[in-house]
């Protein structure tokens, strides 16, 4: 296998890691506005992701760095063409980070509510826009003969991409609700399960339409199989949630997200950005790649450090594997009314 293909696959794996792990972070962030009934329950929700959310974002940083180093032409065209939505995502992520980090720094309830709004916005916006961005990569965007993006942000707001945004929004919400059910005890666990099932029906319908649309556009057998696996895993996850098997439910939604990423990257390959103006102007794994020497060095570095990073993150999840409930939250978290 050529190194360009190897790095295309590795970047896809990094996106799988990011969307599976950060996906439930986004879901929990959205659930703080609809699932928690009081401050203690809100703290329970935030504590489910407290030890891991910042580590989950490392996958995005590595994916961006790998794209820059392995496919600089892809990185340049992507960030110039998708500048506005990527900038909005960045601002939303910063807002979310600040709100998560500083929410507990002041006891006033007004301060906490403002931080809650920041967490909500910082979770909803990326959840939608990542779906829009990934769908546009597969659908194609205006790229000229010089491999430059010549469209506008309006070109990115097409029906297929907007459907992709709705799919990621609803699937992440279900993924987050399943994670809450896996990590909590008491009444909040049951409410998370019920919400996952209700939203899951909508997400399943949207995902099925999106998978069918994607597979119908591409026609490749692997794309069809990956899409079918995604739908089946999501349905199995909902069935497990209905049976109160939160662990298997989480596995189902996680595998569903992974299968969708596999479907999208398979539909994209061997292109990395499709030109909607002329297929011959598309960026491919060949014409957008770095030199073989650069890819060789990157491969050795990735082989040495990736197991360490994955091992450390797996260890952190194991350490913080226990369920939590409102009885774990001290009474002094209840802030004054002012």
């Amino acid at each position: 296998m050529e190194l360009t293909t190897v790095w295309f696959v590795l970047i896809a794996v990094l996106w799988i890691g990011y969307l599976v792990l950060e996906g439930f972070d986004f879901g929990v962030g959205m659930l703080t506005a609809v699932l928690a009934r009081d401050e203690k329950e809100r703290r329970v929700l935030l504590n489910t992701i407290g030890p891991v959310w910042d580590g989950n974002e490392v996958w995005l940083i590595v994916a961006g760095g790998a794209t820059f180093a392995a496919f600089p032409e892809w990185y340049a065209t992507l960030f110039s063409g998708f500048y506005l939505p990527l900038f909005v995502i960045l601002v939303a992520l910063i807002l979310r980070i600040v709100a998560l980090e500083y929410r507990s720094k002041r006891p006033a309830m007004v301060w906490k509510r403002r931080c809650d709004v920041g967490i909500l916005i910082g979770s909803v916006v990326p959840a939608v826009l990542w779906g829009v961005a990934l769908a546009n990569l597969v659908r194609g965007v205006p790229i000229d003969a010089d491999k430059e993006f010549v469209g506008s942000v309006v070109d990115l707001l097409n029906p297929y991409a907007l459907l992709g945004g709705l799919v990621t929004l609803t699937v992440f919400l279900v993924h987050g609700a399943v994670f809450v059910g896996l990590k909590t005890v008491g009444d909040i666990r049951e409410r998370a399960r019920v919400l996952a099932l209700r939203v899951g029906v909508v997400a399943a319908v949207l995902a099925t339409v999106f998978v069918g649309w994607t597979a119908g556009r591409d026609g490749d057998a692997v794309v069809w199989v990956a899409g079918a696996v995604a739908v089946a895993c999501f349905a199995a996850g909902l069935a497990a949630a209905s049976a109160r098997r939160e662990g298997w439910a989480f596995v189902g939604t996680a595998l569903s997200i992974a299968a969708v990423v596999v479907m999208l990257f398979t539909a994209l390959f061997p292109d990395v950005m499709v030109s909607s103006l002329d297929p011959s102007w598309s960026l491919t794994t060949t014409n957008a790649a770095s030199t073989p020497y650069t890819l060789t060095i990157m491969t050795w570095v990735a082989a040495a450090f990736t197991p360490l990073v994955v091992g450390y993150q797996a260890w952190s999840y194991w350490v913080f594997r226990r369920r939590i409930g409102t009885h774990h939250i001290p009474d002094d978290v209840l802030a004054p009314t002012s």
Side-chain angles (χ1 to χ4, degrees), residues 8 74 137-138 263-274:
F8 180 84
W74 183 12
L137 286 180
V138 175
M263 178 191 71
L264 292 175
F265 273 79
T266 301
L268 186 60
F269 186 79
D271 296 325
V272 292
M273 285 193 74
V274 178

Side-chain angles (χ1 to χ4, degrees), residues 62-77:
V62 177
T67 304
F68 173 76
F71 301 101
E73 289 287 344
W74 183 12
Y75 183 92
T77 304

